[in-house]
Amino acid sequence: MKEYKLSKDSNETFLVDSDPCKVIESYLESLPSKGEPWIETQNRSGKLTRIYHGVCPYCNNPTFLVGYETRNNNSSVPYMRHYKKSVPLLAEYNETAYRTCILASGNFSSFGDLSKNRKKTDPLSTQILNTVKSQLDRIFYILEQDTSIYFSPNQKIQMLRDYLSASGYNYSSSYINNLPWTFANVLKAKNLYHQRIKANSDVDKVLSLLKNIRLDPIGKTDLKRINSDGQSFINLFCEFRNLRIDKKSGEQSIDFRIYTKTKNSIDEIYKKAIQINLTRFTNLINSKRSDYRQEQWEEMKAKIDEIQ
């Protein structure tokens, strides 16, 4: 895995540096102190060896750093691997949690499979559900940045309803680090009629070529609204699909696409592979909302509370 935490209760994560010459330096910079429980010294055949520990952000088991010493050309880049022993003062090893952890390499084949779900009583599912309800504005902020599409407040609340109806918080490939993208991945395709897009974006350039829609500027903003040209109904949809994890690097990605739909065909007009930054969301939710965003959040939260 590419990411790690420094304690079980933390929602702050760090990424393993892919450069074996810099990975230890980068790791040490993340530590509050340069000793136990994160750095363990063991005597192996009379030689003192340091083991650099973290905590898996999915199953909360101990992990350790691999691939920072001299390696062959075909060796994988540095990464964290599950450590199948307890590390005092850091994390206890839980065999059951490890066997079901989606970030364990043996489970990579099921990563992104929408039919795979955790038990409803799993603590991670509860944590995800609470995070979705308390950070929905941040989830959409990231999705907007990645897609150049800005859904209306009513559409966002409807997408939340759809997510809750699908019990998306039980989706086995979802955890806090990749939550914005797995939130979207669970949803069915959404019609883009009357939604907003960022002006001069790639999406804007592609949609401007379609004959049956009109892109209307919105005041003094840098947004445009998708409208009908008055002659026909807009069958224009977007969706997130194909969540995946790279078996060698542990990096995650997902496809975003826009397509038109008729009785006879589905025509893809735009597709983008989004590389998932696994610390981006946790960094965002650990930051303070500006006064303006706090005001927007209070309006959204009132609508969320009505659903409960």
Side-chain angles (χ1 to χ4, degrees), residues 18 66-67 71-79 81 247-249:
S18 59
V66 176
R71 301 170 303 125
N72 297 324
N73 291 332
N74 61 351
S75 297
S76 59
V77 296
Y79 63 97
R81 175 186 290 174
K247 292 183 179 180
K248 291 185 178 181
S249 68

Side-chain angles (χ1 to χ4, degrees), residues 70-266:
T70 302
R71 301 170 303 125
N72 297 324
N73 291 332
N74 61 351
S75 297
S76 59
V77 296
Y79 63 97
M80 280 282 180
R81 175 186 290 174
H82 287 90
Y83 188 72
K84 299 182 182 180
K85 299 178 182 178
S86 296
V87 178
L89 304 179
L90 182 63
E92 294 184 2
Y93 176 63
N94 184 314
E95 178 72 17
T96 301
Y98 165 71
R99 290 187 178 277
T100 58
C101 180
I102 201 67
L103 298 181
S105 58
N107 296 329
F108 277 11
S109 60
S110 63
F111 190 89
D113 187 341
L114 286 169
S115 68
K116 302 293 184 180
N117 293 286
R118 291 184 295 266
K119 295 181 179 179
K120 294 182 179 180
T121 55
D122 192 304
L124 180 56
S125 294
T126 301
Q127 183 186 14
I128 289 174
L129 176 59
N130 292 337
T131 303
V132 167
K133 291 181 177 180
S134 65
Q135 304 293 332
L136 189 64
D137 59 330
R138 267 101 175 237
I139 288 174
F140 278 105
Y141 174 81
I142 286 180
L143 296 178
E144 290 166 355
Q145 296 299 306
D146 282 351
T147 66
S148 299
I149 294 177
Y150 295 72
F151 290 101
S152 67
N154 287 340
Q155 181 66 289
K156 291 176 181 178
I157 295 301
Q158 183 56 53
M159 290 166 78
L160 172 62
R161 291 181 184 274
D162 293 345
Y163 176 83
L164 296 177
S165 296
S167 300
Y169 42 88
N170 288 327
Y171 178 30
S172 66
S173 296
S174 179
Y175 59 114
I176 301 301
N177 290 26
N178 66 7
L179 185 50
W181 304 274
T182 51
F183 173 91
N185 190 50
V186 169
L187 303 177
K188 295 180 180 179
K190 297 300 175 184
N191 194 299
L192 290 176
Y193 174 67
H194 220 55
Q195 302 308 315
R196 299 164 296 164
I197 62 171
K198 188 171 184 178
N200 300 316
S201 64
D202 289 343
V203 171
D204 179 19
K205 294 173 183 177
V206 169
L207 295 187
S208 65
L209 300 176
L210 298 181
K211 295 180 180 180
N212 64 327
I213 72 169
R214 190 178 72 241
L215 302 177
D216 297 328
I218 302 176
K220 297 181 179 180
T221 70
D222 62 348
L223 301 177
K224 296 180 180 180
R225 194 178 305 280
I226 302 173
N227 286 313
S228 168
D229 63 0
Q231 303 298 319
S232 58
F233 182 75
I234 299 176
N235 279 310
L236 185 68
F237 298 86
C238 73
E239 66 177 3
F240 284 80
R241 289 295 179 266
N242 194 24
L243 176 71
R244 55 197 179 273
I245 186 168
D246 186 274
K247 292 183 179 180
K248 291 185 178 181
S249 68
E251 294 180 350
Q252 298 177 29
S253 58
I254 192 171
D255 291 334
F256 171 74
R257 72 171 189 146
I258 299 175
Y259 62 91
T260 57
K261 183 178 180 181
T262 65
K263 291 183 179 179
N264 300 319
S265 66
I266 294 178

Side-chain angles (χ1 to χ4, degrees), residues 54-73:
V55 177
C56 175
Y58 190 102
C59 69
N60 277 331
N61 268 308
T63 62
F64 71 107
L65 193 58
V66 176
Y68 56 89
E69 298 172 336
T70 302
R71 301 170 303 125
N72 297 324
N73 291 332

